Amino acid sequence: MNKIVVLARGLGTRMRRSDGAATLDSRQAAMAETGVKAMIPIGRPFLDYVLSAAADAGYRHACLVVGPEQEAIRQYYGGQVTAERLDFTFANQPEPRGTADAVAAAEQFAAGEPFAVINSDNYYPAEALRRLREQSGSAVALFERDAMLTGGNVTAERINKFAVAAIDNQGNLEQILEKPDDATIAALPRPLWLSMNCWRFGPSIFRACRSIKPSARGEYEIPDAVRHVIHEQHEPFAAVQVRAGVLDMTSRADIAAVAALLKDVKVVL
């Protein structure tokens, strides 16, 4: 399994939002204005680091799901950058209709084979991506909350808004709890495992993406598609538990911290 799909279609609303406290150079500020988080320069585009980690984990074919707003991604990975370990294709998501809709756009790329899915604005440890490759069947990489706090750039206040996973006695994903309240978090066993949209899917996910209805936000979302695979198609999702941090490039306030954490990371595409 050496295919990976990168979701890069988002509008970057929070990245475009002004932040007088954030320290950005002129190139970073210009890219932040466009909202294309994946191309924020920290020596080189942030997505280069994300993709290099995927190549370290053994992936060789990357599909970037983009829309018309991500022309900078198309140009850069469509010919401007030199890659030794990865080849790039693009899938088009004309409208930002949610993460499950974005996954559905990559069906031709998957061609019936298993594949990983990650966000373009998160830097995942190669260990997590490698362990997904080594799984059989569908799986999700879950990240220990405490490790996220010590090994990433996310604050304790912000991490409380992240999705938490419930794992059953067989070590499979039971459900994803989006933005759980304090009482729900308190009732969950420790350690807490967070979902950072890092998946291994098979062909069953495309049927699910076509079957679900829009969420309350009016979007087709991956957790709903996964719920369909588990409960309607009766296919388990292995919970790959990772004690390592994930870097999150959501807003302008993240840029300096992420740059500092990646300053010694070697990029080889």
Side-chain angles (χ1 to χ4, degrees):
M1 197 274 270
N2 59 9
K3 293 181 176 181
I4 191 163
V5 172
V6 183
L7 307 183
R9 176 62 177 86
L11 297 176
T13 302
R14 282 174 286 182
M15 182 61 73
R16 296 201 308 269
R17 193 174 299 151
S18 178
D19 183 350
T23 303
L24 281 66
D25 63 31
S26 59
R27 293 173 61 242
Q28 290 170 340
M31 189 56 67
E33 288 290 335
T34 71
V36 184
K37 296 176 284 186
M39 298 301 288
I40 295 289
I42 48 174
R44 56 191 300 159
F46 175 67
L47 185 52
D48 278 3
Y49 295 87
V50 177
L51 290 167
S52 182
D56 290 344
Y59 296 88
R60 295 295 175 256
H61 309 287
C63 176
L64 310 181
V65 181
V66 295
E69 295 85 358
Q70 289 77 35
E71 184 59 28
I73 295 177
R74 288 185 183 272
Q75 291 181 1
Y76 183 76
Y77 293 102
Q80 291 178 359
V81 71
T82 299
E84 303 171 3
R85 300 191 291 172
L86 288 166
D87 59 60
F88 304 110
T89 59
F90 300 94
N92 187 45
Q93 187 188 17
E95 300 292 335
R97 302 189 336 144
T99 52
D101 185 68
V103 170
E107 186 169 10
Q108 183 175 354
F109 167 77
E113 299 176 354
F115 61 100
V117 168
I118 58 174
N119 291 334
S120 66
D121 57 355
N122 288 131
Y123 175 83
Y124 302 89
E127 171 199 355
L129 302 177
R130 183 179 298 112
R131 289 177 62 190
L132 284 182
R133 281 192 62 239
E134 294 169 351
Q135 286 290 318
S136 59
S138 296
V140 57
L142 302 174
F143 299 87
E144 186 186 35
R145 184 183 187 275
D146 291 345
M148 285 282 293
L149 289 171
T150 58
N153 67 304
V154 181
T155 65
E157 178 183 5
R158 186 165 141 203
I159 208 167
N160 289 335
K161 300 177 183 178
F162 284 25
V164 178
I167 303 170
D168 67 19
N169 293 331
Q170 286 72 48
N172 294 321
L173 178 68
E174 191 169 52
Q175 61 177 318
I176 299 289
L177 305 170
E178 299 281 352
K179 298 182 179 179
D181 57 29
D182 292 343
T184 300
I185 290 177
L188 290 171
R190 268 34 180 187
L192 293 176
W193 297 97
L194 307 184
S195 173
M196 297 296 295
N197 213 33
C198 187
W199 303 91
R200 176 187 168 115
F201 291 135
S204 59
I205 196 64
F206 297 114
R207 174 184 162 193
C209 289
R210 291 189 292 267
S211 299
I212 61 174
K213 296 179 179 179
S215 67
R217 299 191 299 179
E219 297 183 353
Y220 298 89
E221 303 195 32
I222 285 177
D224 292 330
V226 168
R227 194 174 299 112
H228 186 280
V229 173
I230 294 173
H231 296 292
E232 302 300 327
Q233 301 186 48
H234 307 292
E235 179 181 330
F237 272 74
V240 177
Q241 299 172 30
V242 183
R243 287 179 166 85
V246 175
L247 305 187
D248 187 48
M249 183 72 85
T250 294
S251 70
R252 299 184 186 203
D254 295 321
I255 295 173
V258 169
L261 289 166
L262 291 178
K263 65 182 179 63
D264 296 324
V265 174
K266 182 180 180 181
V267 171
V268 182
L269 298 178

